[in-house]
Amino acid sequence: MTLKRAPVILIIAFLQFCCSSCIHEKKEPLNIVFILVDDLGWTDLGCYGSTFYETPHIDLLASESILFTNAYAASPVCSPTRAAIMTGKYPVRLNITDWIPGDDPHDRKLRGTADSNQLSLDETTLAEVLSTEGYKTFFAGKWHLGDTGYFPEDQGFDLNIGGHHRGSPPGGYYVPYKNPKMKDGPDDEYLTDRLTDESIQFLKGNRGEPFLLFLSFYTVHTPIQANKDHVDHYRGKVQKLAIQQIPTSAEHKAHTTLWQANPEYASMVHALDENVGRLTATLEELGLDEHTIVVFTSDNGGLSTITNPEWVAPTSVKPLRAGKGWCYEGGIRVPLLIRVPGSKSTTSGIPAISMDLFPTILELAGIDIPDDVDGQSLKPVFTGDSLARVELFWHYPHYHSSGWTPGAAIRAGNWKLIAFYDLDKVELYNLEADPGENNDLADSMPEKVIELKIKLQEWQTETGAMLPESNVPTQ
């Protein structure tokens, strides 16, 4: 070797070493496990303050995650929120503003807007984006975003177990399930267990591909059907507490449950917790936990407010006001846990909403975010930074069996304005001082009301939101 050739050979060797190091250090794609619970209330977990329900496995997940105290569903009912999660867009842009197919009465003051009964195939879903990046996509459980031709397998999921057009389990939580997308199991099988079994089977059968596992539990949606393994435990707790009657309070023309003391509902929450524990334990057993993002949330607030005078709603979300179906905090504020490998656990009071989960997952996975999403990535929260967003909006121009009448809402900072179209009124609250929305400041702060009404109306115009119209009784 001559001295002149030596530098060239050294440079080539150095470049070969660098390329080899880059290949060796290339990070594995992050897997995603998304756990969506149906109708789980903000205070239905131990980590969110429940002292009646027992949720040790979810509490453990919370201790390893970012726990959001100001997380919101995109809607106070299910289908709009599910569409928002799948697309990263406000439900109003998707023309899905009510649960599918909804129930707009023709004998009320207003007529709810005509919205879509399926998520359009023209929309790009989270599963479709991840599929193009080489992810295996699996769905189990509640879909409720359209009938034949609009099922999960039509919207980017390679596998679908149990996802169809119905919003509640048509056969209940024990066989026969009457589910066209899932065969019955043994007579004593519980639906929540079965969906987790299917998810675990998917994990164990995965061939090393990155994956999206979307486990969309039907629980804790009605019918309130006890888990036989756990209900006696909670009946015993009720006995020890000497509860004779669960108290309620009036909410407009409805009533709200004030205590968590329903043993059947509690057993459903317990089964949910047990199965979340089974799923996360499987991730650990398979060595996947250090390469997997876990998201846990609910599609709307807990079922705590109803109009039926003969029935007490199954849960309470106090200190929040009202529940599922309402744009008060009880209907839209939900649990949200996000566990990211390598990130420190903490609690965040930064407001977040369902649409944020789409861009958050993509950015954490190193995938480009589409330009047309409304959500903001929450990745800055994991590094201690804040978000630049100022307002959040809700548009629910329909009547609901919880007692809600057509309306909309805006949160701007700590201020929240709710517009009730049927009642021709607005209410204003300072959520920092009054998270329970007990002190309406609309009359004493007219300038703030005008400011927020203008912002809400501008957003409705920009998104093409349809407003309810006067109802003409059917002859």
Side-chain angles (χ1 to χ4, degrees):
M1 180 188 298
T2 65
L3 289 176
K4 287 184 179 180
R5 291 183 62 199
V8 176
I9 293 172
L10 288 171
I11 290 169
I12 292 172
F14 175 74
L15 290 173
Q16 288 176 332
F17 171 78
C18 289
C19 290
S20 174
S21 298
C22 290
I23 294 170
H24 179 70
E25 293 176 3
K26 185 178 179 180
K27 292 183 179 179
E28 280 188 55
L30 286 172
N31 307 306
I32 297 101
V33 169
F34 197 117
I35 303 169
L36 181 60
V37 190
D38 197 2
D39 291 358
L40 187 72
W42 187 62
T43 55
D44 280 353
L45 305 172
C47 54
Y48 277 88
S50 178
T51 58
F52 185 69
Y53 309 136
E54 298 172 22
T55 56
H57 299 98
I58 298 173
D59 296 346
L60 176 60
L61 176 63
S63 72
E64 302 166 345
S65 306
I66 302 286
L67 183 153
F68 290 83
T69 58
N70 279 285
Y72 290 94
S75 170
V77 292
C78 54
S79 297
T81 296
R82 291 165 184 273
I85 290 171
M86 285 294 163
T87 62
K89 297 181 181 181
Y90 270 111
V92 69
R93 291 196 195 274
L94 308 168
N95 195 32
I96 300 177
T97 53
D98 201 2
W99 61 275
I100 296 172
D103 180 25
D104 286 310
H106 290 270
D107 59 350
R108 307 291 289 274
K109 178 179 177 180
L110 300 175
R111 182 173 66 251
T113 61
D115 57 344
S116 178
N117 285 333
Q118 60 273 325
L119 177 61
S120 172
L121 299 180
D122 293 333
E123 297 295 337
T124 301
T125 68
L126 177 64
E128 288 171 333
V129 174
L130 292 171
S131 290
T132 63
E133 298 292 331
Y135 278 69
K136 190 74 172 176
T137 53
F138 172 88
F139 185 92
K142 174 173 174 172
W143 178 243
H144 208 189
L145 285 175
D147 208 330
T148 303
Y150 298 90
F151 288 151
E153 59 267 36
D154 303 305
Q155 300 278 18
F157 287 96
D158 299 316
L159 299 167
N160 168 31
I161 305 293
H164 60 115
H165 67 289
R166 290 284 296 274
S168 60
Y173 288 90
Y174 286 98
V175 295
Y177 296 131
K178 300 179 182 178
N179 188 318
K181 291 294 183 176
M182 187 174 68
K183 294 180 180 178
D184 287 341
D187 288 345
D188 61 347
E189 182 180 74
Y190 196 66
L191 178 57
T192 307
D193 298 337
R194 169 64 177 280
L195 294 175
T196 308
D197 289 344
E198 296 283 357
S199 299
I200 289 173
Q201 184 176 335
F202 167 75
L203 290 175
K204 290 183 174 179
N206 187 51
R207 301 298 181 184
E209 297 171 282
F211 60 82
L212 165 65
L213 189 164
F214 202 107
L215 176 51
S216 179
F217 286 111
Y218 280 95
T219 203
V220 287
H221 195 286
T222 54
I224 304 304
Q225 192 168 6
N227 180 285
K228 297 172 185 176
D229 294 335
H230 304 303
V231 67
D232 286 344
H233 171 69
Y234 289 97
R235 286 171 180 160
K237 289 185 75 167
V238 171
Q239 269 191 329
K240 288 180 181 178
L241 293 171
I243 298 172
Q244 301 298 319
Q245 185 175 1
I246 299 175
T248 63
S249 65
E251 182 58 76
H252 292 224
K253 294 182 179 180
H255 59 279
T256 296
T257 299
L258 300 180
W259 289 357
Q260 294 178 347
N262 182 314
E264 287 74 25
Y265 184 89
S267 75
M268 297 174 76
V269 174
H270 195 116
L272 164 70
D273 177 75
E274 190 173 60
N275 281 286
V276 170
R278 290 176 59 215
L279 187 63
T280 54
T282 301
L283 290 174
E284 188 173 346
E285 290 164 11
L286 297 176
L288 296 169
D289 55 316
E290 294 184 1
H291 304 285
T292 303
I293 301 164
V294 178
V295 179
F296 176 98
T297 193
S298 177
D299 61 352
N300 47 248
L303 180 56
S304 63
T305 304
I306 55 176
T307 54
N308 187 338
E310 299 179 358
W311 193 43
V312 175
T315 194
S316 171
V317 295
K318 286 296 183 180
L320 303 184
R321 184 171 177 179
K324 175 183 178 177
W326 291 77
C327 286
Y328 288 125
E329 293 291 285
I332 52 177
R333 200 185 294 201
V334 294
L336 174 61
L337 310 174
I338 305 179
R339 187 176 77 181
V340 177
S343 293
K344 292 181 179 180
S345 60
T346 188
T347 297
S348 175
I350 292 175
I353 195 165
S354 304
M355 295 83 70
D356 297 340
L357 301 175
F358 183 104
T360 300
I361 288 169
L362 295 187
E363 185 172 11
L364 289 171
I367 299 170
D368 291 340
I369 301 168
D371 294 332
D372 61 349
V373 301
D374 291 309
Q376 285 188 237
S377 172
L378 300 172
K379 186 178 179 182
V381 179
F382 292 85
T383 57
D385 295 326
S386 59
L387 298 181
R389 176 176 52 210
V390 179
E391 297 99 14
L392 297 174
F393 301 91
W394 295 267
H395 185 70
Y396 190 33
H398 306 275
Y399 292 91
H400 189 262
S401 59
S402 64
W404 169 261
T405 57
I410 172 177
R411 174 171 176 166
N414 288 316
W415 292 101
K416 181 168 171 202
L417 179 130
I418 308 174
F420 292 89
Y421 300 131
D422 182 283
L423 305 175
D424 295 318
K425 64 173 292 190
V426 297
E427 295 176 1
L428 176 70
Y429 299 99
N430 184 321
L431 295 178
E432 183 176 32
D434 180 25
E437 296 168 297
N438 298 306
N439 184 21
D440 180 8
L441 302 172
D443 290 341
S444 60
M445 302 190 69
E447 292 181 358
K448 178 60 69 175
V449 167
I450 292 171
E451 173 193 335
L452 295 183
K453 281 181 69 175
I454 290 172
K455 288 183 177 181
L456 177 59
Q457 290 165 357
E458 288 176 343
W459 173 82
Q460 289 171 325
T461 299
E462 190 269 323
T463 57
M466 294 186 291
L467 297 175
E469 299 177 353
S470 296
N471 216 343
V472 178
T474 303
Q475 298 298 321

